[in-house]
Amino acid sequence: MNSASLHQFSTLTVILLMLAFYGGTYLLTLGIRKKKEDADAFMVSNHRIGFGIGAASMTATWIWAASFYAAATSGYTYGVSGPIHYGLWGALMILFIYPFGRRFRKLAPNAHTLGELIHARHGSSSQLILALSNVLGSVISLMVNFTAAGALVSVLSPLSFQAGVIIAGVGVLLYTLWSGFRASVMTDFAQLVALMAIAVVIIPAVFFAMGGPSELVAGLDNLTVEQADFFSMDAILHQGAPFFVAVLAYAIGNQTISQRLFAVNEEHIKPTFLTATVGYGAIVIGLGMIGLMALTLGIEPLNGDMNNLIPQMVSGYLPPVFIALFFILVIGSLSSTADSDLSALSAIMMADVYGKNLARGKANPQRMLLVGRLTMIVATAVGIVFASFSLDILVMLVFVGALWGAIVFPVIASCFWDRITNAAFTTSVLVAMVMFCLARFEWLPLDGATGLLFELLASIGGGVIIGLMAFGFLGRAMGFLAGGLALLAMLVFATGFLREYTVLLASLTAYGTSTLVCVVMSLASRQERFDFATIGERVGDYDQAHAEPAAAPGQAAAPTSATLAGQR
């Protein structure tokens, strides 16, 4: 296997496979086209997505190209605990939007983006910070998925990398452009069914082709002590802990998640997110096991590239028909995420940029549709161009991850605490970004008093993360208790130690800094307390034919600050 090359299809075969996939997906969307599409359906399907479609769409969206390669890389690098660290924490990113998502929907039942809620709460500056983070995140996600398509096509066929990128980009745009989010969620359902059916076949097939459980157990001797340890500190500190820290950041900052939150029928939010959590975790952990199997057999990635690991295993152990199924599996996974990114970007430009800022609340729905479709075309072109250059996107991912981490506390607190101000929101995010960069890129020496300062801020960040998670599911009292205990534990065990792990230190610093600045500035402000009932009045549907009352006087969906005081 170490010297084997990957199986290659003919150019005609690969073109036919991609035409079959994208052509079939396009035909699926023809059934939902309307002669006169409306803006609310284009962005959130008029808030009427059911449980089955919603859960399938969430799962398919979250299983992107990186899930395949990163999950296998995790298993290969960290051993028995690697797939768990990748799949479990990724699944929790879906789960932890649920308790806060219920609050978001109550405050703004007719919202299309989380940015609209923040605009109603604070104004343009805070909203645009959130919108910018989502634009960067979605564009980078497009680049990653188109890059994965190009890489897959180039290693499994004579076609070039650029050809694969262009085919994937045009194919996704083709079936998403007209119906937007509605097309995305409908095709997600079909793509997830295909993903699960193929994964159920391919993963066991590879497993038993390699010798089954007996070979896996026999190969455990090839693992190091750390790789064989399910509670490996190396795996926890380098992967598990950073992923855990990212849970809330991605849950709150990712528009593809919040868009589905606002699209699903309100009574189906809980089962939708719970089902998607389990579905994502099961599939991705299973994919990670392929990397673990390669490790136990002592297989080296082809050309030293970890991204070749799964194609290499499938190509080396399975017949061509299974390789073709694997090809469709990866193309389907990256396409389901790419179409969600296009839908998210279009909603941000339609609602956050045009609807709330350029049109200032007097948006023309038909002009919004034009903005949304132009956004999709431009985003696809940008994604194709940057993916074709095979750029290193790590630095951009670092900044987006930091920005999402910095906004978590300000966003959540703004929806529960009536003293948070716009100045506190904006300033806390900007200061947190600066502190993150100082730590992540070590622009200041992380020793002595400086290192101690960053560890103190990171300890606060650790307490904030645990506190918010406990608050979401168990209420305010348990949130404060869990956060306080986590802070004490971090101060005891992280001081003098955490500075050695700059990725984890920097991420926690972003949380801690934004929380500290936001709380201090809000407490110091003499600004009048905010009335949460006004949010529902300020956020509504754009197509009046489909609009429902956003927040009638006394309506439970828009609680006032008085009722909020007794909540939790």
Side-chain angles (χ1 to χ4, degrees), residues 134-270:
N134 277 294
V135 168
L136 289 175
S138 291
V139 169
I140 290 173
S141 178
L142 275 177
M143 292 165 52
V144 170
N145 284 288
F146 292 163
T147 298
L152 184 70
V153 168
S154 66
V155 299
L156 291 182
S157 79
L159 287 172
S160 68
F161 173 87
Q162 286 77 13
V165 169
I166 293 172
I167 294 173
V170 173
V172 171
L173 179 64
L174 180 70
Y175 70 80
T176 312
L177 183 63
W178 184 261
S179 299
F181 181 77
R182 294 169 60 245
S184 175
V185 294
M186 180 180 179
T187 55
D188 281 346
F189 182 82
Q191 288 162 355
L192 180 66
V193 171
L195 284 173
M196 294 180 68
I198 297 173
V200 165
V201 172
I202 284 183
I203 295 174
V206 171
F207 182 67
F208 286 103
M210 295 174 63
S214 59
E215 281 294 322
L216 180 63
V217 173
L220 291 177
D221 292 336
N222 292 327
L223 275 61
T224 65
V225 174
E226 284 288 332
Q227 289 171 335
D229 184 4
F230 189 79
F231 300 100
S232 166
M233 288 302 296
D234 184 54
I236 290 173
L237 291 172
H238 283 99
Q239 177 157 1
F243 266 52
F244 182 77
V245 168
V247 164
L248 280 177
Y250 277 80
I252 299 300
N254 196 311
Q255 168 63 16
T256 61
I257 293 182
S258 57
Q259 189 171 20
R260 280 153 182 78
L261 167 69
F262 289 116
V264 172
N265 282 335
E266 195 163 353
E267 63 268 22
H268 297 320
I269 291 177
K270 182 176 181 179

Side-chain angles (χ1 to χ4, degrees), residues 335-547:
S335 297
S336 65
T337 305
D339 63 41
S340 298
D341 288 319
L342 289 180
S343 298
L345 285 165
S346 64
I348 291 169
M349 296 303 294
M350 290 167 71
D352 293 348
V353 177
Y354 171 71
K356 294 300 180 183
N357 288 282
L358 298 180
R360 298 189 180 279
K362 298 180 180 179
N364 181 321
Q366 294 307 308
R367 188 168 296 171
M368 290 185 79
L369 286 170
L370 177 61
V371 169
R373 291 182 177 126
L374 288 176
T375 298
M376 287 186 173
I377 294 172
V378 172
T380 301
V382 171
I384 288 175
V385 169
F386 283 100
S388 298
F389 291 151
S390 301
L391 298 176
D392 183 357
I393 60 170
L394 180 59
V395 174
M396 295 181 69
L397 282 172
V398 166
F399 277 104
V400 172
L403 188 55
W404 282 350
I407 66 175
V408 168
F409 179 85
V411 167
I412 293 176
S414 293
C415 296
F416 287 92
W417 189 21
D418 55 9
R419 293 195 63 175
I420 300 293
T421 66
N422 181 48
F425 187 111
T426 305
T427 305
S428 64
V429 173
L430 296 177
V431 172
M433 280 296 296
V434 172
M435 295 300 290
F436 169 85
C437 293
L438 292 176
R440 178 64 181 86
F441 302 109
E442 299 186 51
W443 291 344
L444 291 177
L446 298 179
D447 54 14
T450 305
L452 189 62
L453 171 63
F454 281 106
E455 286 174 338
L456 175 60
L457 292 171
S459 296
I460 295 174
V464 169
I465 291 171
I466 299 300
L468 287 175
M469 289 179 173
F471 166 70
F473 286 101
L474 303 175
R476 183 173 56 186
M478 288 302 298
F480 277 113
L481 177 61
L485 292 176
L487 172 59
L488 290 175
M490 290 285 292
L491 290 173
V492 172
F493 296 106
T495 304
F497 167 76
L498 194 59
R499 66 191 67 180
E500 301 297 327
Y501 300 89
T502 53
V503 174
L504 181 58
L505 174 71
S507 298
L508 289 172
T509 296
Y511 277 92
T513 303
S514 65
T515 301
L516 190 62
V517 174
C518 189
V519 169
V520 170
M521 288 187 65
S522 296
L523 289 175
S525 173
R526 295 184 179 181
Q527 184 173 306
E528 184 179 347
R529 290 176 180 264
F530 183 76
D531 182 2
F532 284 97
T534 61
I535 291 180
E537 298 168 0
R538 298 172 181 174
V539 180
D541 288 328
Y542 293 95
D543 287 278
Q544 295 303 314
H546 297 283

Side-chain angles (χ1 to χ4, degrees), residues 21-22 60 63 175 188 191 195 327-337 339:
F21 176 81
Y22 286 117
I63 300 175
Y175 70 80
D188 281 346
Q191 288 162 355
L195 284 173
F327 183 88
I328 295 297
L329 181 68
V330 178
I331 293 296
S333 70
L334 66 88
S335 297
S336 65
T337 305
D339 63 41

